[in-house]
């Protein structure tokens, strides 16, 4: 699955510095799901001081492997 985060350089640095993300699930999904980021790419917005982090995201399995 692909994911995209938009933010300032400090906000993107916070996300990019953590290759593992923990996300809250919806009602019918597990409560917490761990994901890892693959092939991250950071782009700068041409007119604003914002950055976009784009990456592929895959869930960890029961053994803790992506």
């Amino acid at each position: 699955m692909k994911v995209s985060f938009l933010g300032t350089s400090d906000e993107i640095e916070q996300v990019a510095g953590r290759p593992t993300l923990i996300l809250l699930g919806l009602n019918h999904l597990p409560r917490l799901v761990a994901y890892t980021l693959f092939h991250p790419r950071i782009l700068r917005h041409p007119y604003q001081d914002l950055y976009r982090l784009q990456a592929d995201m895959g869930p960890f399995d029961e053994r803790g492997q992506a």
Side-chain angles (χ1 to χ4, degrees):
M1 142 177 36
K2 297 213 182 273
V3 66
S4 182
F5 297 98
L6 182 68
T8 64
S9 62
D10 291 337
E11 293 167 340
I12 294 297
E13 185 178 328
Q14 289 283 323
V15 174
R18 293 179 173 86
T20 302
L21 299 175
I22 306 294
L23 300 178
L24 295 173
L26 300 173
N27 293 337
H28 62 282
L29 295 173
R31 188 162 262 235
L32 296 174
V33 181
Y35 290 93
T36 187
L37 297 179
F38 297 101
H39 312 295
R41 200 169 68 145
I42 298 176
L43 306 168
R44 187 174 186 278
H45 191 283
Y47 305 113
Q48 299 175 358
D49 192 26
L50 295 176
Y51 294 84
R52 180 181 305 272
L53 170 67
Q54 295 176 327
D56 295 326
M57 187 169 76
F60 280 103
D61 62 11
E62 295 82 23
R63 297 174 297 172
Q65 297 176 348

